[in-house]
Amino acid sequence: MPVVLKANEVLRARYRIRERIGTGGMGNIYLADDLRLEGRLCALKEVEHDRTVPANLLKEARLQFRREANVLARLDHPNLPKVSDFFSLGPRDYLVMDYIPGKDLRALMMEVKQKNTFFDESDILSWSNQLADALSYLHQQDPPLVHRDVKPSNLKITPNNVLKLVDFGLVKALVPDEMTITVIQGRGTALYTPLEQYGGDGLHTDVRSDTYAFGCTLYHLLTNTPPVDARQRFLHPESLPSPRKLNPAITSRTERAILWAMELHPDDRPFSVEEFRSYLMGTRDLPVKPAA
């Protein structure tokens, strides 16, 4: 279990810890003051590597962190937090990025659910447009970047109603022959994870994996009901209720688009986030699924 940093601790003579604002299996996330840039708040994502692994693997994991931190630091998009720095202290690595104010969509969804109501579909589609912008930007990088952990709790809405896709923990670069590493080894959150992402090294994931998670996220946000995970659906195809059964106010187009994105086999999904967006937003007709 990673040791929690204390308030007012200063890292690298620059980042003064305010408080822990998140936690995960590999470390914590902290809110900190940037002492070099007065008034700037930042989020420090901590990665503490498993020191029980062989020394050569630990060394490779830390090199991989630095390589991918360099990639993330080059990204610049209004729907992504800006990564500004990274460094190592003892057994821990840190990624420094903009602090994003506001609540995440999971928290907002729980508030809506407590009122026995649903999000307006128009609001969800507006946020979906911004999410599609962020994912398309990642997928269009050279090499393409796959987020691999799209879910409501990783989508924050700022006070200005701007959506931010946060937590780069599982970002994967798609390079020739798939020789790639993730910043933090993992498989994402089961409810939003496609079958192909369960491979031990994730060699079969691609941009369509993010589309699957996108669809699952919309399913959850519009129905207040978590989607059945992909492994359960594979064994019991009838186990996923249709979105309109849970929330009749959802339009048939949106329902069809969501279920298309959530197809278990990648080849049955939209080939890109842009294709998914075009059907979700109504700028193109949805394809007719062949009869079984």
Side-chain angles (χ1 to χ4, degrees):
M1 183 79 175
V3 177
V4 179
L5 298 176
K6 296 181 174 62
N8 295 317
E9 281 193 59
V10 177
L11 307 186
R12 289 192 87 197
R14 177 170 181 178
Y15 304 107
R16 184 172 58 212
I17 301 299
R18 284 196 177 192
E19 60 180 320
R20 181 173 61 171
I21 56 174
T23 187
M26 298 291 289
N28 299 296
I29 302 174
Y30 298 95
L31 176 63
D33 293 291
D34 186 338
L35 300 179
R36 188 176 301 171
L37 299 173
E38 185 177 352
R40 178 183 179 243
L41 291 175
C42 52
L44 271 60
K45 183 175 179 64
E46 176 185 72
V47 180
E48 183 160 8
H49 301 280
D50 184 352
R51 284 172 283 181
T52 65
V53 301
N56 62 319
L57 294 181
L58 179 59
K59 180 180 179 180
E60 178 60 22
R62 304 197 75 171
L63 287 173
Q64 292 156 8
F65 172 86
R66 291 174 178 79
R67 285 197 296 266
E68 297 217 350
N70 270 302
V71 171
L72 297 176
R74 294 197 293 268
L75 300 178
D76 188 9
H77 189 276
N79 298 113
L80 297 173
K82 181 63 180 173
V83 173
S84 58
D85 193 10
F86 60 92
F87 58 91
S88 300
L89 289 175
R92 304 176 184 179
D93 295 323
Y94 292 89
L95 196 64
V96 183
M97 61 188 75
D98 291 341
Y99 169 67
I100 308 300
K103 294 182 178 180
D104 64 62
L105 279 179
R106 184 184 183 281
L108 292 173
M109 176 180 59
M110 296 308 295
E111 292 177 4
V112 168
K113 185 175 182 179
Q114 287 175 357
K115 298 175 183 177
N116 293 315
T117 186
F118 297 96
F119 278 124
D120 287 338
E121 185 174 318
S122 59
D123 290 334
I124 296 298
L125 292 180
S126 174
W127 292 328
S128 295
N129 220 8
Q130 297 183 63
L131 176 56
D133 283 343
L135 290 174
S136 291
Y137 174 78
L138 291 174
H139 296 171
Q140 290 165 10
Q141 298 303 302
D142 184 17
L145 299 175
V146 181
H147 189 275
R148 301 210 304 167
D149 203 18
V150 176
K151 58 184 179 181
S153 59
N154 278 343
L155 301 172
K156 294 193 75 173
I157 306 299
T158 73
N160 295 325
N161 206 35
V162 175
L163 177 142
K164 297 279 188 176
L165 172 60
V166 300
D167 199 339
F168 294 110
L170 300 177
V171 165
K172 176 183 177 184
L174 297 179
V175 297
D177 300 322
E178 298 279 350
M179 296 300 291
T180 183
I181 310 294
T182 56
V183 171
I184 301 175
Q185 293 295 334
R187 298 191 178 101
T189 304
L191 295 176
Y192 316 95
T193 301
L195 285 175
E196 67 269 16
Q197 200 165 312
Y198 283 98
D201 49 15
L203 291 181
H204 301 293
T205 57
D206 61 24
V207 298
R208 295 169 298 179
S209 303
D210 280 347
T211 301
Y212 179 90
F214 194 160
C216 289
T217 294
L218 296 185
Y219 182 103
H220 201 170
L221 292 174
L222 283 166
T223 67
N224 295 339
T225 303
V228 178
D229 75 73
R231 293 172 297 183
Q232 179 72 9
R233 290 176 57 207
F234 178 77
L235 296 172
H236 304 284
E238 75 290 348
S239 61
L240 181 74
S242 67
R244 281 163 58 85
K245 183 176 181 180
L246 300 169
N247 177 7
I250 300 171
T251 63
S252 58
R253 167 177 287 278
T254 295
E255 178 182 71
R256 290 177 61 201
I258 289 172
L259 293 177
W260 185 30
M262 292 176 66
E263 288 283 358
L264 291 178
H265 196 287
D267 291 344
D268 294 330
R269 298 176 208 145
F271 67 84
S272 69
V273 166
E274 286 304 321
E275 185 184 31
F276 174 57
R277 187 206 323 236
S278 69
Y279 292 114
L280 183 66
M281 300 301 169
T283 58
R284 294 174 62 183
D285 290 332
L286 275 80
V288 177
K289 189 172 182 179

